[in-house]
Amino acid sequence: MYFRTEDLAVGYHKKALIHDINIAIEKGKILTLIGPNGSGKSTILKTVIKQLPKIRGKIYIDGVDLDEMTNHQLAQQVAVVLTDRIRTELMTCGEVVATGRYPYTNRLGKLTRRDHEIVQESLRRVHGEELEDQDFSAISDGQRQRIMLARAICQQPQMIILDEPTAFLDIRHKIELLDILREMAQEKGITVIMSLHEIDLATKISDYVCCVKGEVISKCGPPDEIFDDQTINSLYEVSHGSYNMLMGSVELTKPEGSPKVFVVAGDGSGIPCYRALQKKEIPFATGLLYENDVDYQVAKELSDRVVSTPAFAPVEEERLRQGESLIREASLVIDAGAWEERGNAYNRQLLRVAREADIPVIRDYPAWLKDGQHSIEAAAKAAERR
């Protein structure tokens, strides 16, 4: 294993906050620490780079005990991108990136032609060429993060440590940064250890994930083996709303109360409707949904009354009767527009039940919900105009 810890304990003032940290990853792999704010992710990373003294235990990098490595040796092995702001004293972005070459320069710190070429290559890699001559202290937080990554790349390390590297970045630059890290790991064999808040990104980029909570690492392993909705909700103590691992989405608290609205949906047609109703705090029932339908994943987070059926299996008569019963209890039915040709023929039957029971059926739910005019009477008038 290129990087491993043995019974590592980390903390402050000789007091262990997290103990029994046993991690081992191969060269060229990506390990991500996730957990709530204040859980100790940054403390672990700062201990690995000797910014904080460890309380006890061992840290090995490429088989060498960290205690036996000088700071100069560590700098040639490990590059660091932390959230702490650095003092640049009127340095340009290009000069900040160039500091990544200092572990390889002579005592005078003079850069060679090759060093300057590596600086330029590193800036290009993060699309930061236009920032080279700008004052580092005057650029945005997102731009600063890209320059700090360029400095780490410039260092040509065997391992890179990053604390919340996607903080302050917009979507485009988050994707680009993670693509860079993945390329560094896969093509150059660089080991990456970082912390992230975005769980969905952690599952996509990481070979291993460690869940940090309390005094121990609660779970550690490949994302597909340890991640599920229950793990995430427990890790972050989510009591209001939920996180859906399959969709990679956060859903706000579901509306409370007995549903008077039934949504006939499928094929993803129901998701915008469910969320629109949630925003207005209108409880709803929905169906009939196959359990491999994307609508089902969101519906089960936002409603307690979801009529579902297993995928690729005949629909049981009981499920259909359940849907019809909820339709008859509703004061309003929304036809979200599922394609009947794609296995949603049962929805046609549910809509027929609604019309036979003289229950208003509307399709233009955005107009109905607009400006808070979402009374049943308004829905009935909208249905009459169809």
PDB file of all heavy atoms in Angstrom, residues 26 79 134 153 157 190 282 286 322 335 341 344:
ATOM      1  N   GLU A  26      -3.903   2.044  -2.314  1.00  0.00           N
ATOM      2  CA  GLU A  26      -2.847   1.806  -3.279  1.00  0.00           C
ATOM      3  C   GLU A  26      -2.442   3.102  -3.974  1.00  0.00           C
ATOM      4  O   GLU A  26      -3.155   4.090  -3.946  1.00  0.00           O
ATOM      5  CB  GLU A  26      -3.299   0.787  -4.333  1.00  0.00           C
ATOM      6  CG  GLU A  26      -3.807  -0.528  -3.773  1.00  0.00           C
ATOM      7  CD  GLU A  26      -5.325  -0.538  -3.608  1.00  0.00           C
ATOM      8  OE1 GLU A  26      -5.890   0.557  -3.379  1.00  0.00           O
ATOM      9  OE2 GLU A  26      -5.919  -1.624  -3.718  1.00  0.00           O
ATOM     10  N   ALA A  79       1.952  17.145  -2.240  1.00  0.00           N
ATOM     11  CA  ALA A  79       1.496  18.518  -2.470  1.00  0.00           C
ATOM     12  C   ALA A  79       0.202  18.730  -1.698  1.00  0.00           C
ATOM     13  O   ALA A  79      -0.554  17.783  -1.465  1.00  0.00           O
ATOM     14  CB  ALA A  79       1.275  18.774  -3.958  1.00  0.00           C
ATOM     15  N   GLN A 134      -1.851  38.458 -12.668  1.00  0.00           N
ATOM     16  CA  GLN A 134      -2.745  39.163 -11.749  1.00  0.00           C
ATOM     17  C   GLN A 134      -2.301  38.970 -10.300  1.00  0.00           C
ATOM     18  O   GLN A 134      -1.703  37.955  -9.945  1.00  0.00           O
ATOM     19  CB  GLN A 134      -4.182  38.662 -11.921  1.00  0.00           C
ATOM     20  CG  GLN A 134      -4.793  38.995 -13.280  1.00  0.00           C
ATOM     21  CD  GLN A 134      -6.272  38.699 -13.332  1.00  0.00           C
ATOM     22  OE1 GLN A 134      -6.976  38.840 -12.327  1.00  0.00           O
ATOM     23  NE2 GLN A 134      -6.762  38.293 -14.499  1.00  0.00           N
ATOM     24  N   ILE A 153       0.062  20.948  -8.716  1.00  0.00           N
ATOM     25  CA  ILE A 153       0.468  20.214  -9.917  1.00  0.00           C
ATOM     26  C   ILE A 153       1.915  20.534 -10.271  1.00  0.00           C
ATOM     27  O   ILE A 153       2.693  19.651 -10.659  1.00  0.00           O
ATOM     28  CB  ILE A 153      -0.472  20.569 -11.096  1.00  0.00           C
ATOM     29  CG1 ILE A 153      -1.898  20.087 -10.798  1.00  0.00           C
ATOM     30  CG2 ILE A 153       0.035  19.964 -12.401  1.00  0.00           C
ATOM     31  CD1 ILE A 153      -2.924  20.557 -11.809  1.00  0.00           C
ATOM     32  N   PRO A 157       4.000  16.022  -7.453  1.00  0.00           N
ATOM     33  CA  PRO A 157       4.062  15.139  -6.283  1.00  0.00           C
ATOM     34  C   PRO A 157       3.689  13.700  -6.621  1.00  0.00           C
ATOM     35  O   PRO A 157       3.175  13.410  -7.709  1.00  0.00           O
ATOM     36  CB  PRO A 157       3.009  15.753  -5.361  1.00  0.00           C
ATOM     37  CG  PRO A 157       1.962  16.246  -6.328  1.00  0.00           C
ATOM     38  CD  PRO A 157       2.720  16.751  -7.527  1.00  0.00           C
ATOM     39  N   ILE A 190      -0.769   9.245  -9.372  1.00  0.00           N
ATOM     40  CA  ILE A 190      -0.692  10.076  -8.167  1.00  0.00           C
ATOM     41  C   ILE A 190      -1.817   9.700  -7.216  1.00  0.00           C
ATOM     42  O   ILE A 190      -2.977   9.573  -7.615  1.00  0.00           O
ATOM     43  CB  ILE A 190      -0.789  11.569  -8.539  1.00  0.00           C
ATOM     44  CG1 ILE A 190       0.437  11.964  -9.377  1.00  0.00           C
ATOM     45  CG2 ILE A 190      -0.893  12.444  -7.297  1.00  0.00           C
ATOM     46  CD1 ILE A 190       0.377  13.372  -9.926  1.00  0.00           C
ATOM     47  N   ILE A 282     -48.176  21.344  -0.138  1.00  0.00           N
ATOM     48  CA  ILE A 282     -49.424  20.643  -0.435  1.00  0.00           C
ATOM     49  C   ILE A 282     -49.153  19.142  -0.420  1.00  0.00           C
ATOM     50  O   ILE A 282     -48.437  18.625  -1.285  1.00  0.00           O
ATOM     51  CB  ILE A 282     -49.986  21.050  -1.815  1.00  0.00           C
ATOM     52  CG1 ILE A 282     -50.250  22.550  -1.851  1.00  0.00           C
ATOM     53  CG2 ILE A 282     -51.242  20.267  -2.146  1.00  0.00           C
ATOM     54  CD1 ILE A 282     -50.663  23.066  -3.215  1.00  0.00           C
ATOM     55  N   THR A 286     -49.521   9.701  -5.141  1.00  0.00           N
ATOM     56  CA  THR A 286     -49.141   9.534  -6.545  1.00  0.00           C
ATOM     57  C   THR A 286     -49.037   8.069  -6.922  1.00  0.00           C
ATOM     58  O   THR A 286     -48.883   7.204  -6.067  1.00  0.00           O
ATOM     59  CB  THR A 286     -47.810  10.252  -6.835  1.00  0.00           C
ATOM     60  OG1 THR A 286     -47.543  10.205  -8.240  1.00  0.00           O
ATOM     61  CG2 THR A 286     -46.649   9.593  -6.082  1.00  0.00           C
ATOM     62  N   GLN A 322     -55.708   0.077  -5.095  1.00  0.00           N
ATOM     63  CA  GLN A 322     -55.201   1.056  -4.127  1.00  0.00           C
ATOM     64  C   GLN A 322     -55.132   2.439  -4.756  1.00  0.00           C
ATOM     65  O   GLN A 322     -55.509   3.446  -4.141  1.00  0.00           O
ATOM     66  CB  GLN A 322     -53.816   0.633  -3.630  1.00  0.00           C
ATOM     67  CG  GLN A 322     -53.233   1.562  -2.568  1.00  0.00           C
ATOM     68  CD  GLN A 322     -51.822   1.143  -2.157  1.00  0.00           C
ATOM     69  OE1 GLN A 322     -51.288   0.132  -2.635  1.00  0.00           O
ATOM     70  NE2 GLN A 322     -51.210   1.907  -1.267  1.00  0.00           N
ATOM     71  N   ASP A 335     -52.803  15.373 -13.954  1.00  0.00           N
ATOM     72  CA  ASP A 335     -52.251  14.515 -14.997  1.00  0.00           C
ATOM     73  C   ASP A 335     -50.910  15.113 -15.406  1.00  0.00           C
ATOM     74  O   ASP A 335     -50.850  16.128 -16.089  1.00  0.00           O
ATOM     75  CB  ASP A 335     -53.211  14.460 -16.190  1.00  0.00           C
ATOM     76  CG  ASP A 335     -52.674  13.603 -17.340  1.00  0.00           C
ATOM     77  OD1 ASP A 335     -51.590  13.018 -17.181  1.00  0.00           O
ATOM     78  OD2 ASP A 335     -53.347  13.551 -18.388  1.00  0.00           O
ATOM     79  N   GLU A 341     -47.746   5.101 -23.938  1.00  0.00           N
ATOM     80  CA  GLU A 341     -47.163   4.074 -24.815  1.00  0.00           C
ATOM     81  C   GLU A 341     -45.960   3.387 -24.175  1.00  0.00           C
ATOM     82  O   GLU A 341     -45.502   2.375 -24.666  1.00  0.00           O
ATOM     83  CB  GLU A 341     -46.726   4.705 -26.142  1.00  0.00           C
ATOM     84  CG  GLU A 341     -47.872   5.225 -26.989  1.00  0.00           C
ATOM     85  CD  GLU A 341     -48.372   6.585 -26.525  1.00  0.00           C
ATOM     86  OE1 GLU A 341     -47.755   7.151 -25.577  1.00  0.00           O
ATOM     87  OE2 GLU A 341     -49.369   7.069 -27.070  1.00  0.00           O
ATOM     88  N   ASN A 344     -47.324   2.843 -19.293  1.00  0.00           N
ATOM     89  CA  ASN A 344     -48.137   3.563 -18.324  1.00  0.00           C
ATOM     90  C   ASN A 344     -49.632   3.492 -18.645  1.00  0.00           C
ATOM     91  O   ASN A 344     -50.385   4.416 -18.349  1.00  0.00           O
ATOM     92  CB  ASN A 344     -47.699   5.043 -18.271  1.00  0.00           C
ATOM     93  CG  ASN A 344     -46.263   5.184 -17.788  1.00  0.00           C
ATOM     94  OD1 ASN A 344     -45.941   4.781 -16.682  1.00  0.00           O
ATOM     95  ND2 ASN A 344     -45.417   5.730 -18.632  1.00  0.00           N
TER      96      ASN A 344
END
